[in-house]
Amino acid sequence: MKHIISVLLIFTFFACSTEKEQMQTLRELAKQDFIEKLNLPEETKFNNQDIVISEKGTNLENLDATYTVNITVISQNSSGEKIYKTHTLTYIKIGEGGLSPRDYQLKSFK
């Protein structure tokens, strides 16, 4: 019985670790695509709090899972007022691993 519990705990640990890595891969891919689509300088920095990822699907392992990445850009107008603009990137998972940028395909950019 202890052996089964140990195996389940190890499996749970690795599943959580993989999920974090997949989200980090998707976050980095979204940053690159955002820079490319808006012709921003390669050195553009992002705050991770300004990037929100949501999943439409039942499991991270599912192919064809849809991920929506919202990136909020904060700027100022000439009078110093902050302007918030949110861009949405939608990705489809096309690869099984999810740890490579090639495992995701950009479907839309708004």
Side-chain angles (χ1 to χ4, degrees), residues 20-76:
K20 282 183 182 179
E21 291 176 20
Q22 287 180 5
M23 291 299 112
Q24 186 60 32
T25 299
L26 197 53
R27 179 174 273 113
E28 293 301 320
L29 178 60
K31 287 178 188 178
Q32 289 298 326
D33 286 341
F34 187 73
I35 288 170
E36 179 183 308
K37 296 292 182 192
L38 294 180
N39 294 320
L40 299 173
E42 288 292 323
E43 302 81 28
T44 302
K45 302 288 182 196
F46 294 94
N47 187 343
N48 281 341
Q49 288 86 9
D50 297 332
I51 301 173
V52 178
I53 301 173
S54 59
E55 177 194 4
K56 295 177 186 169
T58 58
N59 190 334
L60 288 172
E61 299 301 320
N62 287 342
L63 292 177
D64 295 329
T66 302
Y67 298 90
T68 303
V69 182
N70 292 316
I71 299 178
T72 302
V73 178
I74 303 168
S75 59
Q76 288 185 339

Short mmCIF file of all heavy atoms in Angstrom, two decimals, residues 20-76:
data_model
loop_
_atom_site.label_atom_id
_atom_site.label_comp_id
_atom_site.label_asym_id
_atom_site.label_seq_id
_atom_site.Cartn_x
_atom_site.Cartn_y
_atom_site.Cartn_z
N LYS A 20 3.68 23.39 -15.26
CA LYS A 20 4.37 24.68 -15.13
C LYS A 20 5.29 24.92 -16.33
O LYS A 20 5.35 26.02 -16.85
CB LYS A 20 5.21 24.70 -13.85
CG LYS A 20 4.42 24.94 -12.60
CD LYS A 20 5.35 25.02 -11.41
CE LYS A 20 4.60 25.23 -10.12
NZ LYS A 20 5.51 25.29 -8.97
N GLU A 21 5.99 23.87 -16.76
CA GLU A 21 6.90 24.00 -17.89
C GLU A 21 6.12 24.30 -19.17
O GLU A 21 6.56 25.09 -20.00
CB GLU A 21 7.74 22.75 -18.06
CG GLU A 21 8.76 22.56 -16.95
CD GLU A 21 9.52 21.26 -17.06
OE1 GLU A 21 9.55 20.67 -18.16
OE2 GLU A 21 10.09 20.83 -16.05
N GLN A 22 4.96 23.67 -19.34
CA GLN A 22 4.14 23.93 -20.53
C GLN A 22 3.65 25.37 -20.54
O GLN A 22 3.68 26.03 -21.58
CB GLN A 22 2.95 22.97 -20.57
CG GLN A 22 3.33 21.56 -20.93
CD GLN A 22 2.14 20.63 -20.97
OE1 GLN A 22 1.00 21.05 -20.81
NE2 GLN A 22 2.40 19.36 -21.18
N MET A 23 3.21 25.87 -19.40
CA MET A 23 2.73 27.25 -19.33
C MET A 23 3.87 28.23 -19.58
O MET A 23 3.68 29.26 -20.23
CB MET A 23 2.07 27.53 -17.98
CG MET A 23 0.74 26.82 -17.78
SD MET A 23 -0.51 27.25 -18.99
CE MET A 23 -0.66 25.72 -19.87
N GLN A 24 5.07 27.92 -19.09
CA GLN A 24 6.23 28.77 -19.33
C GLN A 24 6.60 28.77 -20.82
O GLN A 24 6.92 29.82 -21.38
CB GLN A 24 7.43 28.34 -18.48
CG GLN A 24 8.61 29.27 -18.57
CD GLN A 24 8.29 30.69 -18.12
OE1 GLN A 24 7.46 30.92 -17.25
NE2 GLN A 24 8.94 31.65 -18.73
N THR A 25 6.54 27.61 -21.46
CA THR A 25 6.81 27.51 -22.89
C THR A 25 5.81 28.35 -23.67
O THR A 25 6.18 29.11 -24.57
CB THR A 25 6.73 26.04 -23.36
OG1 THR A 25 7.72 25.28 -22.67
CG2 THR A 25 6.95 25.92 -24.86
N LEU A 26 4.55 28.23 -23.32
CA LEU A 26 3.50 29.00 -23.99
C LEU A 26 3.66 30.50 -23.75
O LEU A 26 3.48 31.31 -24.67
CB LEU A 26 2.13 28.52 -23.51
CG LEU A 26 0.92 28.89 -24.34
CD1 LEU A 26 1.09 28.50 -25.79
CD2 LEU A 26 -0.31 28.25 -23.76
N ARG A 27 4.05 30.88 -22.56
CA ARG A 27 4.27 32.30 -22.23
C ARG A 27 5.41 32.88 -23.08
O ARG A 27 5.29 33.96 -23.66
CB ARG A 27 4.59 32.45 -20.74
CG ARG A 27 4.87 33.88 -20.30
CD ARG A 27 5.04 33.98 -18.81
NE ARG A 27 3.71 34.16 -18.23
CZ ARG A 27 3.09 33.28 -17.46
NH1 ARG A 27 3.67 32.15 -17.14
NH2 ARG A 27 1.88 33.51 -17.00
N GLU A 28 6.51 32.14 -23.19
CA GLU A 28 7.66 32.60 -23.99
C GLU A 28 7.30 32.67 -25.47
O GLU A 28 7.70 33.61 -26.17
CB GLU A 28 8.87 31.69 -23.76
CG GLU A 28 9.44 31.75 -22.36
CD GLU A 28 9.90 33.15 -21.97
OE1 GLU A 28 10.49 33.86 -22.81
OE2 GLU A 28 9.67 33.54 -20.81
N LEU A 29 6.54 31.69 -25.96
CA LEU A 29 6.11 31.69 -27.35
C LEU A 29 5.22 32.90 -27.63
O LEU A 29 5.37 33.58 -28.66
CB LEU A 29 5.37 30.40 -27.67
CG LEU A 29 4.81 30.26 -29.08
CD1 LEU A 29 5.92 30.33 -30.13
CD2 LEU A 29 4.04 28.95 -29.21
N ALA A 30 4.30 33.20 -26.72
CA ALA A 30 3.41 34.34 -26.89
C ALA A 30 4.20 35.66 -26.91
O ALA A 30 3.90 36.55 -27.70
CB ALA A 30 2.36 34.37 -25.77
N LYS A 31 5.21 35.77 -26.06
CA LYS A 31 6.04 36.98 -26.07
C LYS A 31 6.71 37.16 -27.43
O LYS A 31 6.69 38.25 -27.99
CB LYS A 31 7.12 36.89 -24.99
CG LYS A 31 6.62 37.05 -23.58
CD LYS A 31 7.78 36.88 -22.60
CE LYS A 31 7.34 36.84 -21.17
NZ LYS A 31 8.49 36.63 -20.25
N GLN A 32 7.28 36.08 -27.96
CA GLN A 32 7.96 36.16 -29.26
C GLN A 32 6.98 36.52 -30.38
O GLN A 32 7.27 37.36 -31.22
CB GLN A 32 8.67 34.83 -29.58
CG GLN A 32 9.87 34.57 -28.73
CD GLN A 32 10.94 35.63 -28.92
OE1 GLN A 32 11.13 36.18 -30.02
NE2 GLN A 32 11.66 35.95 -27.86
N ASP A 33 5.81 35.86 -30.39
CA ASP A 33 4.82 36.15 -31.42
C ASP A 33 4.30 37.58 -31.31
O ASP A 33 4.08 38.25 -32.31
CB ASP A 33 3.65 35.17 -31.32
CG ASP A 33 4.01 33.79 -31.83
OD1 ASP A 33 5.01 33.65 -32.59
OD2 ASP A 33 3.29 32.82 -31.49
N PHE A 34 4.12 38.06 -30.09
CA PHE A 34 3.65 39.43 -29.85
C PHE A 34 4.65 40.44 -30.40
O PHE A 34 4.28 41.39 -31.10
CB PHE A 34 3.40 39.63 -28.36
CG PHE A 34 2.77 40.93 -28.01
CD1 PHE A 34 1.44 41.18 -28.29
CD2 PHE A 34 3.50 41.93 -27.39
CE1 PHE A 34 0.84 42.39 -27.97
CE2 PHE A 34 2.93 43.14 -27.06
CZ PHE A 34 1.59 43.37 -27.36
N ILE A 35 5.91 40.23 -30.09
CA ILE A 35 6.98 41.11 -30.59
C ILE A 35 7.00 41.11 -32.11
O ILE A 35 7.10 42.15 -32.76
CB ILE A 35 8.34 40.68 -30.00
CG1 ILE A 35 8.41 41.05 -28.52
CG2 ILE A 35 9.50 41.32 -30.77
CD1 ILE A 35 9.60 40.47 -27.79
N GLU A 36 6.87 39.92 -32.70
CA GLU A 36 6.91 39.79 -34.15
C GLU A 36 5.69 40.46 -34.81
O GLU A 36 5.84 41.20 -35.78
CB GLU A 36 6.94 38.31 -34.53
CG GLU A 36 6.96 38.04 -36.01
CD GLU A 36 6.93 36.56 -36.30
OE1 GLU A 36 7.76 35.82 -35.74
OE2 GLU A 36 6.05 36.15 -37.08
N LYS A 37 4.51 40.22 -34.29
CA LYS A 37 3.28 40.75 -34.90
C LYS A 37 3.21 42.28 -34.84
O LYS A 37 2.68 42.91 -35.74
CB LYS A 37 2.04 40.16 -34.24
CG LYS A 37 1.90 38.68 -34.41
CD LYS A 37 1.62 38.31 -35.84
CE LYS A 37 1.43 36.81 -35.96
NZ LYS A 37 1.44 36.35 -37.33
N LEU A 38 3.72 42.86 -33.76
CA LEU A 38 3.66 44.32 -33.61
C LEU A 38 4.97 45.01 -34.01
O LEU A 38 5.12 46.22 -33.81
CB LEU A 38 3.29 44.69 -32.17
CG LEU A 38 1.88 44.29 -31.76
CD1 LEU A 38 1.62 44.69 -30.32
CD2 LEU A 38 0.83 44.88 -32.68
N ASN A 39 5.92 44.25 -34.56
CA ASN A 39 7.21 44.79 -34.99
C ASN A 39 7.91 45.56 -33.88
O ASN A 39 8.41 46.67 -34.08
CB ASN A 39 7.05 45.67 -36.23
CG ASN A 39 6.60 44.88 -37.43
OD1 ASN A 39 7.05 43.76 -37.65
ND2 ASN A 39 5.70 45.44 -38.20
N LEU A 40 7.90 44.99 -32.68
CA LEU A 40 8.57 45.61 -31.54
C LEU A 40 10.04 45.22 -31.53
O LEU A 40 10.43 44.21 -32.12
CB LEU A 40 7.91 45.15 -30.23
CG LEU A 40 6.44 45.48 -30.06
CD1 LEU A 40 5.89 44.82 -28.81
CD2 LEU A 40 6.24 46.98 -30.01
N PRO A 41 10.88 45.99 -30.86
CA PRO A 41 12.30 45.61 -30.75
C PRO A 41 12.44 44.28 -29.99
O PRO A 41 11.67 43.97 -29.10
CB PRO A 41 12.92 46.75 -29.93
CG PRO A 41 11.95 47.86 -29.96
CD PRO A 41 10.61 47.26 -30.21
N GLU A 42 13.42 43.49 -30.38
CA GLU A 42 13.67 42.19 -29.75
C GLU A 42 13.92 42.32 -28.24
O GLU A 42 13.67 41.39 -27.49
CB GLU A 42 14.87 41.49 -30.39
CG GLU A 42 14.61 40.98 -31.79
CD GLU A 42 13.63 39.82 -31.82
OE1 GLU A 42 13.66 38.98 -30.90
OE2 GLU A 42 12.84 39.76 -32.78
N GLU A 43 14.41 43.47 -27.80
CA GLU A 43 14.75 43.67 -26.39
C GLU A 43 13.54 44.03 -25.55
O GLU A 43 13.67 44.29 -24.35
CB GLU A 43 15.79 44.79 -26.25
CG GLU A 43 17.07 44.56 -26.99
CD GLU A 43 16.98 44.92 -28.47
OE1 GLU A 43 16.18 45.80 -28.86
OE2 GLU A 43 17.71 44.30 -29.26
N THR A 44 12.34 44.05 -26.12
CA THR A 44 11.14 44.42 -25.38
C THR A 44 10.96 43.50 -24.18
O THR A 44 11.06 42.28 -24.30
CB THR A 44 9.90 44.35 -26.29
OG1 THR A 44 10.10 45.20 -27.41
CG2 THR A 44 8.65 44.76 -25.54
N LYS A 45 10.73 44.09 -23.03
CA LYS A 45 10.55 43.34 -21.78
C LYS A 45 9.08 43.29 -21.42
O LYS A 45 8.33 44.22 -21.68
CB LYS A 45 11.33 43.98 -20.63
CG LYS A 45 12.81 44.11 -20.87
CD LYS A 45 13.48 42.78 -20.80
CE LYS A 45 14.98 42.98 -20.99
NZ LYS A 45 15.66 41.78 -21.30
N PHE A 46 8.68 42.18 -20.78
CA PHE A 46 7.31 42.01 -20.34
C PHE A 46 7.30 41.65 -18.86
O PHE A 46 8.20 41.00 -18.36
CB PHE A 46 6.63 40.86 -21.11
CG PHE A 46 6.44 41.15 -22.56
CD1 PHE A 46 7.39 40.74 -23.48
CD2 PHE A 46 5.33 41.83 -23.00
CE1 PHE A 46 7.22 41.00 -24.82
CE2 PHE A 46 5.15 42.09 -24.34
CZ PHE A 46 6.10 41.68 -25.26
N ASN A 47 6.26 42.08 -18.20
CA ASN A 47 6.03 41.72 -16.81
C ASN A 47 5.09 40.51 -16.84
O ASN A 47 4.04 40.55 -17.47
CB ASN A 47 5.37 42.90 -16.09
CG ASN A 47 5.23 42.68 -14.63
OD1 ASN A 47 5.33 41.56 -14.15
ND2 ASN A 47 4.99 43.75 -13.90
N ASN A 48 5.47 39.42 -16.18
CA ASN A 48 4.67 38.20 -16.23
C ASN A 48 3.26 38.39 -15.67
O ASN A 48 2.35 37.64 -16.02
CB ASN A 48 5.37 37.04 -15.51
CG ASN A 48 6.45 36.43 -16.38
OD1 ASN A 48 6.47 36.59 -17.58
ND2 ASN A 48 7.37 35.71 -15.75
N GLN A 49 3.03 39.40 -14.83
CA GLN A 49 1.69 39.66 -14.33
C GLN A 49 0.79 40.21 -15.44
O GLN A 49 -0.43 40.17 -15.33
CB GLN A 49 1.70 40.65 -13.15
CG GLN A 49 2.23 40.06 -11.87
CD GLN A 49 3.75 40.16 -11.78
OE1 GLN A 49 4.40 40.81 -12.60
NE2 GLN A 49 4.31 39.50 -10.80
N ASP A 50 1.40 40.75 -16.51
CA ASP A 50 0.63 41.31 -17.61
C ASP A 50 0.26 40.25 -18.65
O ASP A 50 -0.37 40.57 -19.66
CB ASP A 50 1.40 42.44 -18.29
CG ASP A 50 1.64 43.61 -17.36
OD1 ASP A 50 0.82 43.81 -16.44
OD2 ASP A 50 2.65 44.31 -17.53
N ILE A 51 0.67 39.00 -18.41
CA ILE A 51 0.39 37.91 -19.34
C ILE A 51 -0.45 36.87 -18.61
O ILE A 51 -0.02 36.28 -17.64
CB ILE A 51 1.69 37.27 -19.86
CG1 ILE A 51 2.54 38.32 -20.57
CG2 ILE A 51 1.38 36.09 -20.79
CD1 ILE A 51 3.92 37.83 -20.97
N VAL A 52 -1.67 36.67 -19.10
CA VAL A 52 -2.61 35.73 -18.48
C VAL A 52 -2.93 34.63 -19.49
O VAL A 52 -3.33 34.92 -20.62
CB VAL A 52 -3.91 36.44 -18.03
CG1 VAL A 52 -4.88 35.45 -17.44
CG2 VAL A 52 -3.58 37.55 -17.05
N ILE A 53 -2.75 33.37 -19.06
CA ILE A 53 -3.02 32.23 -19.93
C ILE A 53 -4.21 31.47 -19.38
O ILE A 53 -4.27 31.16 -18.20
CB ILE A 53 -1.79 31.28 -20.00
CG1 ILE A 53 -0.57 32.03 -20.53
CG2 ILE A 53 -2.11 30.07 -20.88
CD1 ILE A 53 0.71 31.24 -20.48
N SER A 54 -5.15 31.17 -20.27
CA SER A 54 -6.28 30.33 -19.88
C SER A 54 -6.41 29.20 -20.89
O SER A 54 -6.08 29.37 -22.07
CB SER A 54 -7.57 31.14 -19.79
OG SER A 54 -7.86 31.75 -21.01
N GLU A 55 -6.89 28.06 -20.42
CA GLU A 55 -7.00 26.87 -21.26
C GLU A 55 -8.46 26.52 -21.45
O GLU A 55 -9.25 26.57 -20.51
CB GLU A 55 -6.28 25.70 -20.60
CG GLU A 55 -6.43 24.42 -21.38
CD GLU A 55 -6.02 23.19 -20.59
OE1 GLU A 55 -5.69 23.32 -19.41
OE2 GLU A 55 -6.05 22.12 -21.17
N LYS A 56 -8.80 26.15 -22.67
CA LYS A 56 -10.13 25.62 -22.96
C LYS A 56 -9.92 24.17 -23.36
O LYS A 56 -9.54 23.87 -24.48
CB LYS A 56 -10.79 26.39 -24.10
CG LYS A 56 -11.08 27.82 -23.75
CD LYS A 56 -11.67 28.55 -24.93
CE LYS A 56 -11.82 30.02 -24.59
NZ LYS A 56 -12.14 30.83 -25.74
N GLY A 57 -10.11 23.30 -22.44
CA GLY A 57 -9.91 21.87 -22.64
C GLY A 57 -9.93 21.18 -21.31
O GLY A 57 -9.95 21.82 -20.26
N THR A 58 -9.89 19.88 -21.33
CA THR A 58 -10.02 19.15 -20.08
C THR A 58 -8.69 18.75 -19.49
O THR A 58 -8.60 18.50 -18.31
CB THR A 58 -10.86 17.88 -20.31
OG1 THR A 58 -10.24 17.08 -21.32
CG2 THR A 58 -12.27 18.23 -20.73
N ASN A 59 -7.64 18.68 -20.29
CA ASN A 59 -6.38 18.15 -19.80
C ASN A 59 -5.25 18.75 -20.61
O ASN A 59 -5.36 18.87 -21.82
CB ASN A 59 -6.39 16.62 -19.93
CG ASN A 59 -5.23 15.97 -19.23
OD1 ASN A 59 -4.19 16.58 -19.03
ND2 ASN A 59 -5.39 14.73 -18.86
N LEU A 60 -4.13 19.05 -19.96
CA LEU A 60 -2.98 19.61 -20.66
C LEU A 60 -2.39 18.65 -21.68
O LEU A 60 -1.71 19.06 -22.60
CB LEU A 60 -1.89 20.00 -19.65
CG LEU A 60 -2.18 21.21 -18.81
CD1 LEU A 60 -1.12 21.36 -17.73
CD2 LEU A 60 -2.22 22.46 -19.65
N GLU A 61 -2.64 17.37 -21.52
CA GLU A 61 -2.08 16.38 -22.42
C GLU A 61 -2.87 16.26 -23.72
O GLU A 61 -2.42 15.63 -24.66
CB GLU A 61 -2.01 15.01 -21.73
CG GLU A 61 -1.13 15.00 -20.48
CD GLU A 61 0.30 15.40 -20.76
OE1 GLU A 61 0.85 14.97 -21.81
OE2 GLU A 61 0.89 16.12 -19.95
N ASN A 62 -4.08 16.83 -23.77
CA ASN A 62 -4.93 16.69 -24.95
C ASN A 62 -4.39 17.49 -26.11
O ASN A 62 -4.08 18.67 -25.98
CB ASN A 62 -6.36 17.15 -24.65
CG ASN A 62 -7.11 16.20 -23.77
OD1 ASN A 62 -6.73 15.05 -23.62
ND2 ASN A 62 -8.18 16.68 -23.19
N LEU A 63 -4.34 16.83 -27.28
CA LEU A 63 -4.07 17.56 -28.50
C LEU A 63 -5.32 18.37 -28.83
O LEU A 63 -6.41 18.03 -28.43
CB LEU A 63 -3.73 16.60 -29.64
CG LEU A 63 -2.42 15.84 -29.49
CD1 LEU A 63 -2.25 14.88 -30.65
CD2 LEU A 63 -1.25 16.78 -29.42
N ASP A 64 -5.16 19.42 -29.56
CA ASP A 64 -6.24 20.33 -29.95
C ASP A 64 -6.79 21.14 -28.78
O ASP A 64 -7.84 21.76 -28.92
CB ASP A 64 -7.38 19.59 -30.65
CG ASP A 64 -6.95 18.99 -31.98
OD1 ASP A 64 -6.06 19.58 -32.62
OD2 ASP A 64 -7.49 17.94 -32.37
N ALA A 65 -6.12 21.13 -27.64
CA ALA A 65 -6.53 22.01 -26.55
C ALA A 65 -6.29 23.44 -27.02
O ALA A 65 -5.35 23.73 -27.74
CB ALA A 65 -5.74 21.71 -25.29
N THR A 66 -7.16 24.34 -26.63
CA THR A 66 -7.06 25.74 -27.03
C THR A 66 -6.60 26.57 -25.84
O THR A 66 -7.13 26.44 -24.75
CB THR A 66 -8.43 26.26 -27.52
OG1 THR A 66 -8.87 25.44 -28.59
CG2 THR A 66 -8.34 27.70 -27.97
N TYR A 67 -5.62 27.42 -26.08
CA TYR A 67 -5.09 28.30 -25.04
C TYR A 67 -5.25 29.74 -25.49
O TYR A 67 -4.94 30.08 -26.62
CB TYR A 67 -3.60 28.02 -24.79
CG TYR A 67 -3.33 26.63 -24.31
CD1 TYR A 67 -3.09 25.60 -25.22
CD2 TYR A 67 -3.34 26.32 -22.96
CE1 TYR A 67 -2.86 24.32 -24.78
CE2 TYR A 67 -3.11 25.04 -22.52
CZ TYR A 67 -2.87 24.04 -23.44
OH TYR A 67 -2.65 22.76 -23.01
N THR A 68 -5.73 30.57 -24.60
CA THR A 68 -5.87 31.99 -24.86
C THR A 68 -4.87 32.73 -23.99
O THR A 68 -4.83 32.54 -22.78
CB THR A 68 -7.30 32.47 -24.54
OG1 THR A 68 -8.22 31.69 -25.31
CG2 THR A 68 -7.47 33.93 -24.85
N VAL A 69 -4.05 33.55 -24.64
CA VAL A 69 -3.04 34.33 -23.92
C VAL A 69 -3.40 35.80 -24.09
O VAL A 69 -3.48 36.32 -25.20
CB VAL A 69 -1.63 34.07 -24.48
CG1 VAL A 69 -0.60 34.86 -23.70
CG2 VAL A 69 -1.31 32.58 -24.46
N ASN A 70 -3.65 36.47 -22.97
CA ASN A 70 -3.95 37.91 -22.97
C ASN A 70 -2.72 38.66 -22.47
O ASN A 70 -2.23 38.38 -21.38
CB ASN A 70 -5.14 38.22 -22.08
CG ASN A 70 -6.43 37.68 -22.64
OD1 ASN A 70 -6.70 37.79 -23.83
ND2 ASN A 70 -7.23 37.07 -21.80
N ILE A 71 -2.27 39.60 -23.29
CA ILE A 71 -1.12 40.43 -22.92
C ILE A 71 -1.61 41.87 -22.81
O ILE A 71 -2.14 42.43 -23.78
CB ILE A 71 0.01 40.33 -23.96
CG1 ILE A 71 0.51 38.88 -24.06
CG2 ILE A 71 1.15 41.28 -23.60
CD1 ILE A 71 1.59 38.68 -25.09
N THR A 72 -1.45 42.45 -21.64
CA THR A 72 -1.87 43.83 -21.41
C THR A 72 -0.66 44.74 -21.51
O THR A 72 0.35 44.52 -20.85
CB THR A 72 -2.53 43.97 -20.03
OG1 THR A 72 -3.64 43.09 -19.96
CG2 THR A 72 -3.00 45.40 -19.79
N VAL A 73 -0.79 45.76 -22.35
CA VAL A 73 0.27 46.74 -22.55
C VAL A 73 -0.19 48.05 -21.92
O VAL A 73 -1.30 48.52 -22.18
CB VAL A 73 0.57 46.94 -24.04
CG1 VAL A 73 1.63 48.00 -24.25
CG2 VAL A 73 0.96 45.64 -24.70
N ILE A 74 0.67 48.62 -21.09
CA ILE A 74 0.36 49.89 -20.42
C ILE A 74 1.24 50.97 -21.04
O ILE A 74 2.46 50.83 -21.09
CB ILE A 74 0.60 49.78 -18.91
CG1 ILE A 74 -0.21 48.64 -18.32
CG2 ILE A 74 0.26 51.09 -18.22
CD1 ILE A 74 0.17 48.27 -16.91
N SER A 75 0.60 52.03 -21.50
CA SER A 75 1.35 53.16 -22.04
C SER A 75 0.74 54.45 -21.48
O SER A 75 -0.22 54.41 -20.73
CB SER A 75 1.30 53.14 -23.57
OG SER A 75 -0.03 53.21 -24.02
N GLN A 76 1.33 55.57 -21.87
CA GLN A 76 0.83 56.87 -21.42
C GLN A 76 0.60 57.76 -22.62
O GLN A 76 1.36 57.74 -23.59
CB GLN A 76 1.83 57.55 -20.49
CG GLN A 76 1.93 56.93 -19.13
CD GLN A 76 2.86 57.72 -18.22
OE1 GLN A 76 3.70 58.47 -18.68
NE2 GLN A 76 2.69 57.55 -16.92
#
